Amino acid sequence: MDQRVLNKLVESVSNTVKSFKKCEIECLIRLFQNLVKTDGRIDKTGIDRNTFQEILHNIFGMTDDMLMNRVFCAFDKDNDNHINVKEWVKGLSVFLRGTFEEKLKFCFEVYYLNGDGYISQEEIFNMLKNSLYQQSSEEESDEAIQELVDLTLKKMDYDNDGKISFADFEKAVKEERLLLEVFGQCLPEAKVQFNIPNSWAEKCKGAQEVAQ
Amino acid sequence: MGVALTKSAQWTAAGYGPTALEVTPLNEAILKEIIEFIENFLYNHPQEAEYVFAEPLEWKTNLEPSAFGSGYIVSETAVESKEVDNNGQPLLSLSVPHVQIRSFGQLSQFLFIAKDSKLKEAQLCVEANRNPVEKILGLDYNTIKEESSALRILEKLTKGDDPENEIKRKVAHLLYQLDLHLLNNSLKHISLEIRLNPVTVKNDIELLKRFSGKGEQTVLEFIEYTSDYEFSNGCRAPPWRQIHGEICYVLVKPHDADTLCLTCSSEGVFLNGGKTDDEGEINYERKSEVYKDLVTLLKDKSAKFSENMSRQELKFNEEHHKEVNQLSKTAKEEEAIPSNRSTSGSHRSTLEKNQINLVKSHMAKRLAPSLNWKATVDSKDRKSSFKEPQEEKHGRHEKTGTSFSHGRAQLIRKSVEKIEDIISDSSSESEEDEESPDHRQEANADLPSEYWQIQKLVKYLKGGNQTATVIALCSMKDFNLAQETCQLAIRDVGGLEVLINLLDTDEVKCKIGSLKILKEISHNSQIRRSIVDLGGLPIMVNILDSPHKSLKCLAAETIANVAKFRRARRVVRQYGGITKLVALLDCGQNSSEPAQLSLYETRDVEVARCGALALWSCSKSHTNKEAIRKAGGIPLLARLLKTSHENMLIPVVGTLQECASEENYRAAIKAERIIENLVKNLNSENEQLQEHCAMAIYQCAEDEETRDLVRLHGGLKPLASLLNNTDNKERLAAVTGAIWKCSISKENVTKFREYKAIETLVGLLTDQPEEVLINVVGALGECCQEYENRVIVRKCGGIQPLVNLLVGINQALLVNVTKAVGACAVEPESMAIIDRLDGVRLLWSLLKNPHPDVKASAAWALCPCIENAKVKSVC
């Protein structure tokens, strides 16, 4: 891709994403280009679900398939089953540089699936299904998980309507930051958050030197 | 009593000079028995009481002749009894300090006269007459060998028939009975001190294991521990059970009974409530009587065991014969018992002999350390020797006083080997301070509902992935963790172990959640102790290196809570915690401009604050103070002192104040210009901060330059004005302390006078706690070195309360009061008041005070009194 197109793209993306420097955006776009492996118009293609899940697993240390799927959906704002370059940069800005409010919103989006704006008991149950080891029978395991669901509801469902609204979620997480990823990991591991910006900063520096 | 005295009583090591009885409970008991025997002799055996000893019992008494009453001819330095023998010699004669007594009747009366000091007299008597039987019955009995002394005496006595010999025989018999009685009693004494310890229990179990398995010949089907984990002290019981003396739990399956679940504790071995199937937990409640050891219990519970055990004994004996033989040779080398190893015919008898020796040598070794008392027993020693059975339970052995089983020869052999290092181990542990005893709930008391809820949460912690763990941690945090029920519930359901284990994982969220809980519950001293026992501190110290600031903060805060006792502080230091904590202080570099702090920097400040908090706790140990200084803590603390956050300042000043007890620190504090900031913070609104600043000034102001610095930075005025608020006694004590030390400089005194502080100080002479009074009086003592201030003190009516304080008992206070009174006495007018209030006599009486400083100070105070009194009398 020639430099002129790239610069233009960087310019347009940087208007919407403020948390990255321009050189960082450039890096991310180049990365995107490598991932989709296309020589065509970069703004017309996107990363498919499988590739994205691989990235989530390999770089960001996520393990739960269901949640990775949901993270993909949260990235894919226009629901076309592909993450285009703008969605890519935008999503990563929340992932890596997101403010607390952005992350809060992102996590809530990941956790509520059916789009009614609430996290229901069934959804919680599904998400926590695999969170206990060493249960002898399925019944016992279901019982234990239901108890765990009750615990979370007791803690987070402030208006006692049996489901968690965004207001509930916000209030609970503000009180206890640990509850941000309460139903499973949907943000990068803390150590990745520490390391990636540093490695990019180096790349960024390299890129600047090349440009000069 | 000859045998008892020579064998049982504990004599000080034979050496130069007269030997003496050690002051030990055993000896005391023996002496008491003897006294009782003698005292009742007159009533129980009136006839024998008149028996005249062959030789008088003679010793140096502490009794004065004046103590004797009727029945005695008393002169100034001598006493003779009116009761005489056939030749007209008195049966008791005392010429100070020697006393000679020749009959039980007189002995009995003598003890009666001695009243409270009879124990001492009895001891002196026994010490001076090492062989009383010989003196009482005559020299010829001394030649008789001990083994059959009584029999031979009887034999000899029955030959002659005259009435005197008849009585002599009875006396001999009585003495023999006393002897037996004493021996029995001392044996009871010794056997009372026997307890099980982890080593013996372990040896028993290991040995039984070797003879367990399938088949008819084995003693048991199996024997195994319930827990594989062995603590460093050799116990396997969880720490909260170890507190009850429990060592480990074992499952035993005898051939002819169901599986038994046993508790081995230092008290003995007993059946417990068994393992509950679903939880794997043990019901700790005792279900049977306590047996003295494992073998006894099993013999009682299983006939088959008993039977096979006796068979095993024979086999076992032969197997280990060689070992035993060698041991007994080395153990009892000095006695050089010939052990006949070559001839198989004498095999058994030799073995038996050796084993008896073994018991003896074992007993000797065992008794040596545990019954080792000091000659001076003050109350503190008594307390510690009372605690000894619990603390040094390792040091005890259970073997004496029990019939010696052949099969266990090996156990004893091992025990003998190990006993020495075990004892040295436990002595290093015994320096523990301020660890309060355990107030556990009774197992069968009603458990609060929180208990079950917390137990469920701990289950999730154990069996959940990160997500479930975080949810459980957050739910646990919602309990009222400040409440002791919840704190202990977490510990009792095994939650502490899990929480500490979580700290060792990679999951940041779990670590944060766990620390948030540990931070809260570590306010409880029992929890603190358990955390240290479970090895939580080294892990927390490691977390201090983490890049996560919130994690660092939580770890430091938890350490601050846990390091409230000496052992914990030592662990922090040993794992390099001090250096790491000091490094945390380095975070708040830009904190001098609080207005421009970004969120990021605020977190840095928070890290530094938590570091200071932990250092404050740690700085209570002398070695840690030094470690903080060596790690470069002082300049960092000085820099943090420039901030204006109260939260930060309190721990920083607290640490400095704690450390200022060290000379090195005081010099550094001066060099780092810390005084200036201390003075600045005296003006703070926060009472605690004011208190610590004043306290730090108090510590540092011994130094003249520092006193000047306090004045130059305008510290005297806030100090003087803080005197007016008397509600907060801690702060008042610190402020008056600072004023006292500052007023050693004359310029400062002048300032204080300007601020009317002297009048206020006089007002504080009444109705204040001692720690305030010491400082107030100290300050007045310094102020009164000047004429003008003496006048002020007198005019404000300060002399009366000062003189009133002369009757106190606090030494530090008395030193200061005498100094202040002495300073006032320089003034004739004040002197008149002191004289009128009888102050001179009070001062005089303080010359008898046991404390040399008080004596000296009182003597100095008397000088001006005498001088002024002279002036008066001349006039």
Side-chain angles (χ1 to χ4, degrees), chain B residues 773-788:
Chain B
L773 281 177
I774 293 170
N775 297 338
V776 169
V777 176
L780 285 176
E782 294 299 338
C783 293
C784 287
Q785 303 299 325
E786 281 181 47
Y787 169 74
E788 291 168 60

Side-chain angles (χ1 to χ4, degrees), chain A residues 74-91:
Chain A
F75 265 68
D76 182 20
K77 300 275 185 209
D78 57 7
N79 290 320
D80 63 352
N81 269 328
H82 280 89
I83 292 170
N84 64 34
V85 69
K86 280 186 180 161
E87 285 167 348
W88 166 250
V89 178
K90 182 88 185 133

Side-chain angles (χ1 to χ4, degrees), chain A residues 131 133 144 147 155 176 182, chain B residues 460 463 465 467 477-478 516:
Chain A
S131 64
Y133 341 107
E147 273 176 27
K155 190 145 179 59
E176 176 50 79
V182 58
Chain B
Y460 283 117
N465 68 2
T467 310
K477 235 190 79 207
D478 285 345
K516 277 181 174 173

Side-chain angles (χ1 to χ4, degrees), chain B residues 126-263:
Chain B
V126 171
E127 279 170 8
N129 304 282
R130 288 298 291 270
N131 199 345
V133 181
E134 173 195 311
K135 287 199 171 172
I136 292 169
L137 296 174
L139 246 181
D140 17 347
Y141 298 97
N142 191 34
T143 54
I144 299 163
K145 285 283 171 230
E146 275 169 353
E147 293 94 10
S148 53
S149 55
L151 274 177
R152 297 229 191 136
I153 291 169
L154 289 175
E155 208 174 289
K156 197 168 190 294
L157 288 170
T158 40
K159 279 177 190 161
D161 270 344
D162 60 309
E164 213 205 313
N165 268 353
E166 174 80 357
I167 291 179
K168 207 170 179 176
R169 189 173 64 85
K170 279 187 183 166
V171 170
H173 182 64
L174 285 171
L175 286 176
Y176 177 60
Q177 277 184 332
L178 173 65
D179 205 351
L180 269 185
H181 181 69
L182 289 178
L183 277 175
N184 279 338
N185 263 14
S186 45
L187 197 62
K188 260 187 229 160
H189 244 267
I190 294 165
S191 60
L192 271 182
E193 315 211 28
I194 290 153
R195 292 166 139 253
L196 289 180
N197 69 58
V199 179
T200 47
V201 170
K202 190 176 174 185
N203 285 338
D204 273 14
I205 294 171
E206 290 301 321
L207 195 67
L208 288 174
K209 260 189 191 165
R210 287 173 53 184
F211 294 100
S212 299
K214 294 283 172 210
E216 284 300 300
Q217 292 306 310
T218 58
V219 291
L220 296 165
E221 275 190 21
F222 67 79
I223 174 168
E224 62 189 26
Y225 293 109
T226 56
S227 153
D228 290 333
Y229 182 72
E230 186 179 327
F231 289 89
S232 55
N233 59 4
C235 295
R236 286 166 196 259
W240 65 94
R241 298 302 302 177
Q242 286 182 27
I243 291 157
H244 300 262
E246 291 181 4
I247 295 164
C248 62
Y249 311 98
V250 281
L251 289 171
V252 181
K253 173 83 178 76
H255 288 295
D256 52 351
D258 287 336
T259 306
L260 306 168
C261 190
L262 307 176
T263 300

